[in-house]
Amino acid sequence: MFRFASLSVYCLLVCATNLRADDDVAADDVAAERPNIVLLMSDDLGWKDLGCYGGPVNTPTLDQLASRGKRFTDFYSGAAVCSPSRAALLTGRTNLRCGIYSWINDRDQRTHLPLREITLAEVLGAAGYETAHIGKWHLGMPSNANPDKPTPEEHGFHTWFATANNALPSHFCPNNFIRNGDRVGTLDGYACDLVVDEAIRWLGHRKKKDAPFFLNLWFHEPHAPLAAPKHSTAPYGNSSDPAALYSGTIANTDQAIERLLNRLHEIDQPENTIIIYTSDNGSYRSDRVGHLRGTKGSNYEGGIRVPGIFFWPTHISPSVSSQPAGAVDILPTVCGLVGIDPPTLPLDGTDLSDFLTDKADRIVRKQPLFWFLPLSGPALAMRDGRYAMVAYRKGELPRDRQAIAAVKERIATTLRDKGLFETETRGSTFEKQLFEGFSDRDADRLRGQFIRLNQFSESWIPQLKQTQFHRFELYDLARDPSQSKDLALQLPQVHFRMKTRLQALAAEVLDEAFDWSSSRTPPREFESNRSGVHRLESTYRSPFDAFVYVNRIPVEPEVGESPDDLAGRILGRLANQEGRILIKLPPGMNRASYLGFKTALESSAASRAGRCFECHRLPALENKRSNPIVPSLRNRSYTQQQLQDIMCSQDHAGLSIEADDANQLHALLQTLTDVSDERFRELILESRVLDTSGDFE
């Protein structure tokens, strides 16, 4: 006999640790003792912008946080551009594991942060935190073209006030904020003030005043299109100077953060709140990355090195560290600081809590920090101790380079014909303004075409999954932070070791990355009048889900129905259909996997945990309400031997099953891999009746 421990090669979190009704009071007491979490992130702010990093902008509020907390000199964003970086921060997993290849355009792309990913908000919410996201989101939002993308609420935020991407038409009086799904119209003020105002209101009207909170506040500044009040811009020059206006947006944000901190200190003592500050990627201005090579979009240091400040009085001592750390570390680090378990999905980040609280004198990583941004040049980067390696992707993606060159020329011609070229590029360059935007409407409209021509196309994904790399460059950042001298030939052993590791990591995440080109229809949109298959509300597209569809299996619990009651109701339905010989199995699901489903539904008298689906709850086959969170069983791949090995753990010692049942459970799990919508439709139509002998009729 084998003891059923878990259904995942990743050793998923166990049922025995789930909060039960009689533990609720104790759990609430534990949660109330945990510190609040405030995560602040700027947009496109460079490593050398803030005063505390030697930058030109007067930022007294952030400087004070840095002087009283831990300031990292070598802190890194999750990626060199927006959406991938935000995905890595919220999940602790590199962007390609999350299926995010580049920045997201909701009008043209299906891409979004998948619901299978477990966010920091979900982890903290399961531990009793009240959660809010305020500010820029850019991880996918419902649009007319893709109305079924998930919102921040579906990623664990109890309340949210956000823009899908940038504040429009600029930071001043934006008109594209959404509050909990409802558009709020044009607002009066600057974006940084508006999001802080919303945060202050939320802090004063929280439903659970005794519970700790997680405030995720992502600013829009200094991302273009820029706007700032004159009093913030004046110290740096005229408002018509792009560099001065850029600085003004940062100064204005610092003043807004001061108001937020004052309110936080009114609510609770500073030692009861952890504050983290960073930026989503490097600046697009080369004068704001210091001596570093590259800017936003580049995997050289200038595109990924950003400020990193951790503030928690009496717990984190004031200091400056040159240890490499990054946004991908934030999820496991917060879990470590507040004393909760992180998700058991493969994480690329490292728990820095012992280092931050002086329990360790250095950071020990299971794997180096690394970055993979397919459109970047270089596409790969890795930081391991003092050394950094970058590599380029072989081959060209099918961009329309002729059209890109033509629209650039049209923009320049438009500005020259109007006599605006010098004005629009004052203190900057034409190439920089293509990223920052133009005041002239005709030029900025053409700039929109330029951006769309350069954006990522999901049709490129199959080609990218076959990517090969070359030009593996090696740099010693301790001696050469500007990455000016390639040491590949001078240090062959270091070069070989890092190249081997980087290639392995790239192959691993490419294999896991979801292929958004696999179907023309969005994940939640399924309808075909021609085939007679009705539209499905479910987002799941595996052979198992086709089985659920054709047999009308109830996998959603009714109001007040427990997972145990639901399992009993399903078993009753199956028994009734078996008696009438009505069970249909789609291709990819056989008698063994069907029996495995019944085994997972059945209760074990010897088990305190009960049925498998008590923890791995239908239909998602996860449990994000438990503490710790039980991740999804979907889209996991492992052998029978691997399943047998994890069955021998102590996690589910009370669940005992026969070897044949274990094999059937393995067969069931093979049916949980998603297919395209087109193939899913075929599975439904090709389903056949299973008779009592196990043969198809």
Side-chain angles (χ1 to χ4, degrees):
M1 296 179 70
F2 294 122
R3 288 178 303 177
F4 173 63
S6 170
L7 301 183
S8 169
V9 69
Y10 301 121
C11 301
L12 303 180
L13 300 175
V14 299
C15 300
T17 61
N18 289 352
L19 291 177
R20 300 183 183 277
D22 55 358
D23 295 330
D24 286 347
V25 175
D28 289 343
D29 290 342
V30 171
E33 296 175 356
R34 289 181 169 131
N36 306 310
I37 310 293
V38 178
L39 177 54
L40 307 173
M41 184 163 68
S42 289
D43 192 358
D44 285 4
L45 181 132
W47 181 64
K48 281 288 187 179
D49 272 318
L50 305 182
C52 55
Y53 279 86
V57 186
N58 184 28
T59 52
T61 306
L62 290 169
D63 293 354
Q64 187 177 41
L65 286 179
S67 66
R68 296 175 58 196
K70 177 87 76 175
R71 179 173 70 85
F72 285 88
T73 62
D74 293 34
F75 196 82
Y76 293 91
S77 62
V81 296
C82 188
S83 303
S85 180
R86 293 163 194 266
L89 185 153
L90 275 187
T91 65
R93 288 156 51 84
T94 191
N95 53 285
L96 281 189
R97 291 196 200 275
C98 300
I100 311 294
Y101 294 78
S102 185
W103 62 274
I104 295 171
N105 185 338
D106 289 314
R107 292 178 298 178
D108 301 336
Q109 298 170 345
R110 297 173 57 218
T111 305
H112 58 76
L113 182 64
L115 288 171
R116 61 177 276 186
E117 296 298 325
I118 297 175
T119 69
L120 180 57
E122 289 170 320
V123 175
L124 293 174
Y129 278 72
E130 195 166 358
T131 62
H133 172 80
I134 298 176
K136 182 172 177 175
W137 179 242
H138 211 185
L139 287 170
M141 194 81 85
S143 66
N144 290 334
N146 296 287
D148 295 323
K149 290 190 179 186
T151 67
E153 180 180 5
E154 294 171 271
H155 286 297
F157 291 101
H158 301 140
T159 188
W160 55 281
F161 175 76
T163 60
N165 190 351
N166 303 317
L168 297 174
S170 73
H171 300 145
F172 184 59
C173 295
N175 59 20
N176 60 329
F177 270 94
I178 304 170
R179 181 185 287 113
N180 298 324
D182 297 323
R183 294 190 177 276
V184 297
T186 301
L187 298 171
D188 186 17
Y190 291 90
C192 61
D193 292 314
L194 293 170
V195 297
V196 165
D197 289 344
E198 185 76 12
I200 290 173
R201 279 193 294 270
W202 177 76
L203 289 169
H205 295 88
R206 290 184 297 116
K207 296 179 180 179
K208 299 179 181 179
K209 295 295 178 65
D210 294 332
F213 59 81
F214 169 42
L215 173 59
N216 193 52
L217 203 160
W218 290 353
F219 294 102
H220 300 79
E221 292 87 349
H223 194 294
L226 303 172
K230 289 184 178 180
H231 68 82
S232 297
T233 304
Y236 311 100
N238 192 286
S239 295
S240 62
D241 180 355
L245 188 56
Y246 174 95
S247 294
T249 68
I250 299 169
N252 197 37
T253 302
D254 187 81
Q255 294 165 16
I257 293 173
E258 181 183 20
R259 290 194 297 113
L260 175 65
L261 297 186
N262 289 338
R263 180 57 179 147
L264 289 170
H265 294 166
E266 292 173 0
I267 293 173
D268 208 341
Q269 297 297 317
E271 58 267 26
N272 293 332
T273 301
I274 300 171
I275 299 175
I276 303 171
Y277 175 82
T278 188
S279 175
D280 68 335
N281 46 251
S283 176
Y284 51 81
R285 297 187 61 90
S286 59
D287 57 337
R288 300 305 177 91
V289 297
H291 54 270
L292 303 179
R293 181 177 178 179
T295 55
K296 173 183 177 179
S298 169
N299 275 329
Y300 285 112
E301 290 285 294
I304 54 178
R305 195 186 293 195
V306 294
I309 299 169
F310 290 75
F311 175 82
W312 191 16
T314 75
H315 297 273
I316 297 177
S317 302
S319 61
V320 178
S321 173
S322 60
Q323 288 275 307
V328 74
D329 299 324
I330 287 177
L331 182 146
T333 297
V334 168
C335 290
L337 290 173
V338 305
I340 60 178
D341 292 331
T344 55
L345 292 171
L347 299 182
D348 297 297
T350 295
D351 180 359
L352 311 179
S353 59
D354 283 349
F355 178 73
L356 289 171
T357 55
D358 298 327
K359 296 175 184 176
D361 59 2
R362 65 190 183 94
I363 298 170
V364 179
R365 296 186 176 277
K366 64 179 180 180
Q367 70 179 40
L369 290 164
F370 80 102
W371 299 265
F372 189 171
L373 194 64
L375 299 192
S376 177
L380 292 178
M382 186 171 74
R383 173 81 190 260
D384 191 4
R386 66 188 295 163
Y387 295 108
M389 173 169 279
V390 300
Y392 287 78
R393 180 178 43 79
K394 287 184 178 180
E396 291 287 337
L397 291 171
R399 281 196 183 106
D400 191 341
R401 299 187 180 279
Q402 186 174 2
I404 291 172
V407 75
K408 283 178 64 176
E409 181 59 33
R410 286 180 64 193
I411 296 171
T413 300
T414 298
L415 293 175
R416 290 192 178 97
D417 289 347
K418 293 186 176 185
L420 297 174
F421 191 89
E422 296 300 325
T423 302
E424 290 277 10
T425 58
R426 178 184 173 190
S428 182
T429 65
F430 177 67
E431 294 292 334
K432 289 180 182 178
Q433 289 306 123
L434 286 171
F435 290 97
E436 294 190 36
F438 300 99
S439 299
D440 180 74
R441 289 187 177 183
D442 292 332
D444 212 51
R445 177 179 55 80
L446 290 169
R447 173 181 170 271
Q449 295 180 23
F450 171 79
I451 295 297
R452 286 190 292 276
L453 285 167
N454 277 281
Q455 78 179 25
F456 180 79
S457 172
E458 291 164 340
S459 65
W460 300 343
I461 294 176
Q463 178 180 341
L464 286 171
K465 280 184 168 287
Q466 305 301 317
T467 294
Q468 299 294 318
F469 303 97
H470 66 145
R471 286 180 59 188
F472 288 83
E473 301 168 0
L474 177 66
Y475 300 97
D476 181 349
L477 296 181
R479 295 183 177 180
D480 179 25
S482 300
Q483 295 176 291
S484 60
K485 185 177 181 181
D486 181 5
L487 300 177
L489 297 179
Q490 289 90 330
L491 300 173
Q493 291 181 328
V494 175
H495 185 270
F496 177 78
R497 170 177 58 83
M498 293 190 65
K499 176 182 177 181
T500 302
R501 190 65 185 275
L502 184 53
Q503 287 179 311
L505 286 170
E508 179 182 323
V509 299
L510 272 177
D511 183 62
E512 189 170 352
F514 180 71
D515 183 355
W516 296 96
S517 72
S518 60
S519 173
R520 293 184 179 181
T521 50
R524 291 189 177 185
E525 193 76 10
F526 184 92
E527 187 168 15
S528 175
N529 296 327
R530 176 172 49 82
S531 68
V533 177
H534 301 290
R535 173 174 173 164
L536 297 182
E537 295 297 331
S538 170
T539 63
Y540 307 114
R541 297 290 183 272
S542 70
F544 171 77
D545 301 299
F547 161 77
V548 166
Y549 178 86
V550 296
N551 293 286
R552 302 186 182 277
I553 304 299
V555 292
E556 294 277 2
E558 296 178 349
V559 176
E561 185 177 37
S562 70
D564 192 66
D565 292 337
L566 173 61
R569 183 156 62 96
I570 296 173
L571 282 170
R573 170 68 67 86
L574 294 177
N576 179 55
Q577 293 182 217
E578 283 178 2
R580 299 161 60 193
I581 316 181
L582 292 178
I583 295 293
K584 290 185 177 182
L585 299 183
M589 190 164 182
N590 57 22
R591 181 179 178 82
S593 53
Y594 171 67
L595 293 176
F597 178 50
K598 293 181 66 176
T599 297
L601 289 165
E602 292 168 349
S603 178
S604 169
S607 169
R608 183 168 64 89
R611 298 177 168 96
C612 302
F613 294 143
E614 183 173 335
C615 289
H616 305 289
R617 294 185 177 179
L618 294 164
L621 295 172
E622 64 188 357
N623 189 356
K624 291 187 176 181
R625 295 183 179 180
S626 68
N627 183 20
I629 287 175
V630 177
S632 176
L633 299 178
R634 293 177 177 275
N635 297 298
R636 309 299 182 204
S637 176
Y638 52 93
T639 65
Q640 287 183 321
Q641 182 60 50
Q642 288 171 325
L643 178 61
Q644 179 179 335
D645 291 342
I646 60 176
M647 282 179 173
C648 295
S649 77
Q650 295 300 314
D651 293 339
H652 286 158
L655 287 178
S656 298
I657 60 174
E658 300 289 344
D660 286 346
D661 292 337
N663 292 334
Q664 291 164 359
L665 284 171
H666 181 265
L668 170 66
L669 297 176
Q670 306 310 300
T671 72
L672 294 172
T673 300
D674 285 340
V675 298
S676 68
D677 275 1
E678 181 179 357
R679 179 54 184 157
F680 185 69
R681 186 180 296 113
E682 293 171 354
L683 295 182
I684 292 172
L685 297 174
E686 295 171 8
S687 296
R688 296 291 182 269
V689 173
L690 178 70
D691 67 17
T692 54
S693 67
D695 297 326
F696 288 106
E697 291 186 340

